[in-house]
């Protein structure tokens, strides 16, 4: 199910009416956005009661200044995982579920818009089935997705830039009447990415360091690779590195440690999910690093032997958001010391 993804300016062509959202906060309606398959969702005015499936959509709305419209969320951000005032605002949002929002609770939430981050989210496990589009319509809820994440696995080619993420921000701005702020956020992201590209973009492909994103929280028995349709592939590529699993078509794929060993990466990112405090994060990073340095299968890797680890959180690398550009910058500074300001 891929109905109603936020799509203006990303991949598929948005309906011409979508451009009206760029003119201003209150005068930009109607706004029409399309999904991967071309299905249209039209907004005649700004939604007043938004529910988000998880912290990613919530964070984008907070950054856009539309947090006061959010009446509930699933997969809430942990306390302290967002910066400053954003964290305080996030903690005031009603938590409808710590995981996937149950179907009946979602349909009865009073929302007029549900923003879904993952099209393929498993709604099972006793939490109820995903509502059908007919059920969303009957409940008066417009159902949209963050396309940069929801459509990642079905992208027509490798994702090597942040255009889809920026398009989601632009579309959310148009839908919520915060286009001016959306432009500010997108321009800020682009400025950082352009600076990195200027500094390291001329590095020949075969001279770029190889890079493995170690998703520690996905488990160590069988590693989870980020493939070339995942936003992390764009982050790694823009930073001037080579994703060791860039030949894997899709977003994520379970691989074996023998596959990782065969790539013998120059650098390994310790992909740890935010624990809510700097101390808790450092503890998790320490655990991930110790595992790689002590495990018989990985301690001989070049990156492990030379201590070439990056301590950068999972969310800002694998989930679409404003901080993707910050991650590009941070990776580049580590891999190209002295070149990136």
């Amino acid at each position: 199910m891929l109905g109603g993804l936020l799509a203006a300016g990303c991949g598929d062509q948005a309906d011409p009416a979508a451009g009206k959202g760029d003119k201003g906060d209150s005068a930009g309606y109607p706004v029409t956005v399309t999904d991967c398959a071309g299905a249209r969702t039209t907004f005649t005015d700004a939604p007043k009661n938004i529910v988000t499936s998880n912290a990613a959509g919530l964070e984008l709305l907070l950054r856009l200044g539309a947090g006061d419209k959010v009446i509930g969320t699933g997969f809430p951000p942990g306390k302290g995982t967002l910066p400053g005032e954003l964290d305080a605002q996030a903690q005031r949002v009603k938590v409808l579920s710590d995981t996937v929002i149950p179907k009946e609770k979602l349909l009865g939430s009073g929302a007029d818009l549900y923003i879904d981050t993952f099209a393929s989210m498993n709604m099972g496990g006793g939490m109820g089935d995903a509502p059908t589009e007919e059920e969303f319509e009957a409940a008066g809820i417009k159902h949209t997705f963050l396309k940069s994440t929801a459509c990642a696995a079905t992208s027509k080619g490798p994702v090597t830039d942040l255009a889809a993420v920026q398009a989601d921000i632009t579309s959310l701005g148009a839908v919520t009447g915060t286009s001016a702020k959306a432009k500010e956020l997108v321009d800020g992201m682009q400025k950082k990415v352009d600076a990195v590209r200027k500094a390291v973009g001329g590095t020949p492909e075969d001279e770029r360091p190889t890079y493995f994103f170690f998703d520690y929280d996905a488990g160590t028995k069988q590693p989870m690779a980020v493939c070339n349709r995942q936003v992390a592939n764009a982050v790694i590529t823009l930073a001037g590195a080579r994703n060791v699993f860039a030949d894997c078509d899709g977003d994520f794929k379970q691989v074996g440690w023998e596959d990782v060993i065969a790539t013998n990466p120059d650098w390994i990112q310790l992909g740890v999910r935010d624990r809510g405090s700097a101390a808790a994060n450092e503890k998790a990073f320490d655990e991930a690093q110790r595992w790689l340095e002590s495990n018989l299968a990985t301690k001989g890797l070049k990156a492990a032997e030379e201590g070439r680890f990056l301590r950068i959180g999972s969310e800002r690398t694998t989930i679409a958001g404003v901080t993707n550009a910050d991650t590009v910058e941070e990776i580049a500074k580590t891999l190209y010391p002295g070149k990136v300001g």
Side-chain angles (χ1 to χ4, degrees):
M1 178 178 66
L2 292 174
L5 281 82
L6 296 170
C10 172
D12 302 320
Q13 291 297 312
D15 186 277
K20 295 181 181 180
D22 296 333
K23 291 183 179 180
D25 293 348
S26 61
Y29 297 95
V31 171
T32 299
V33 292
T34 61
D35 70 2
C36 294
R40 299 180 179 184
T41 301
T42 298
F43 296 81
T44 56
D45 53 22
K48 297 178 176 61
N49 299 299
I50 304 174
V51 168
T52 56
S53 67
N54 72 352
L58 173 58
E59 180 178 350
L60 283 180
L61 290 170
L62 292 172
R63 289 183 181 275
L64 286 167
D68 60 332
K69 300 175 185 294
V70 184
I71 62 169
T73 190
F75 288 101
K79 184 175 176 58
T81 58
L82 296 179
E85 179 57 26
L86 292 183
D87 181 64
Q89 292 178 48
Q91 298 310 311
R92 292 194 291 268
V93 174
K94 183 178 181 180
V95 177
L96 298 179
S97 174
D98 287 329
T99 56
V100 177
I101 302 172
K103 174 179 175 178
E104 294 307 320
K105 181 175 283 190
L106 174 56
L107 292 174
S109 65
D112 55 8
L113 172 61
Y114 176 56
I115 299 175
D116 208 344
T117 305
F118 299 103
S120 58
M121 180 67 75
N122 178 13
M123 298 293 284
M127 290 179 284
D129 297 325
T132 65
E133 294 306 320
E134 290 74 20
E135 288 173 324
F136 274 120
E137 185 175 357
I141 302 173
K142 293 183 185 296
H143 182 203
T144 62
F145 291 88
L146 294 183
K147 184 175 178 182
S148 53
T149 303
C151 290
T154 57
S155 296
K156 296 177 181 178
V159 178
T160 57
D161 59 36
L162 299 180
V165 178
Q166 293 169 323
D168 274 343
I169 295 170
T170 298
S171 291
L172 268 180
V175 166
T176 60
T178 58
S179 288
K181 183 62 177 180
K183 184 177 186 305
E184 178 186 324
L185 293 175
V186 168
D187 288 348
M189 291 175 66
Q190 195 60 47
K191 183 177 180 180
K192 290 179 181 178
V193 170
D194 286 345
V196 171
R197 183 183 291 114
K198 183 177 180 181
V200 306
T203 307
E205 184 69 19
D206 60 359
E207 294 180 16
R208 298 184 174 210
T210 54
Y211 195 96
F212 171 55
F213 177 87
F214 174 38
D215 191 344
Y216 178 64
D217 292 305
T220 56
K221 185 175 181 180
Q222 188 173 12
M224 183 71 72
V226 290
C227 300
N228 59 23
R229 266 61 163 178
Q230 224 286 322
V231 67
N233 187 69
V235 170
I236 294 166
T237 302
L238 288 169
R242 287 180 287 164
N243 177 13
V244 294
F245 289 105
D247 60 348
C248 163
D249 293 332
D251 51 1
F252 294 98
K253 180 182 179 181
Q254 282 194 318
V255 296
W257 282 113
E258 65 275 12
D259 299 310
V260 178
I261 293 168
T263 69
N264 198 18
D266 296 313
W267 290 89
I268 297 176
Q269 179 177 335
L270 306 174
V272 168
R273 292 166 199 166
D274 200 313
R275 265 59 170 177
S277 73
N281 288 340
E282 282 306 303
K283 181 180 178 181
F285 284 131
D286 287 342
E287 291 172 358
Q289 182 169 333
R290 279 197 300 270
W291 190 91
L292 289 168
E293 291 175 331
S294 61
N295 186 272
L296 289 175
T298 57
K299 65 180 184 179
L301 290 173
K302 177 168 40 178
E305 290 184 333
E306 298 178 3
R308 292 187 173 186
F309 299 109
L310 293 89
R311 296 185 169 211
I312 304 175
S314 291
E315 293 92 339
R316 54 185 290 191
T317 311
T318 62
I319 296 178
V322 174
T323 54
N324 292 153
D326 298 319
T327 306
V328 169
E329 185 178 62
E330 188 170 348
I331 294 172
K333 284 182 177 179
T334 302
L335 273 55
Y336 297 89
K339 285 190 176 183
V340 181

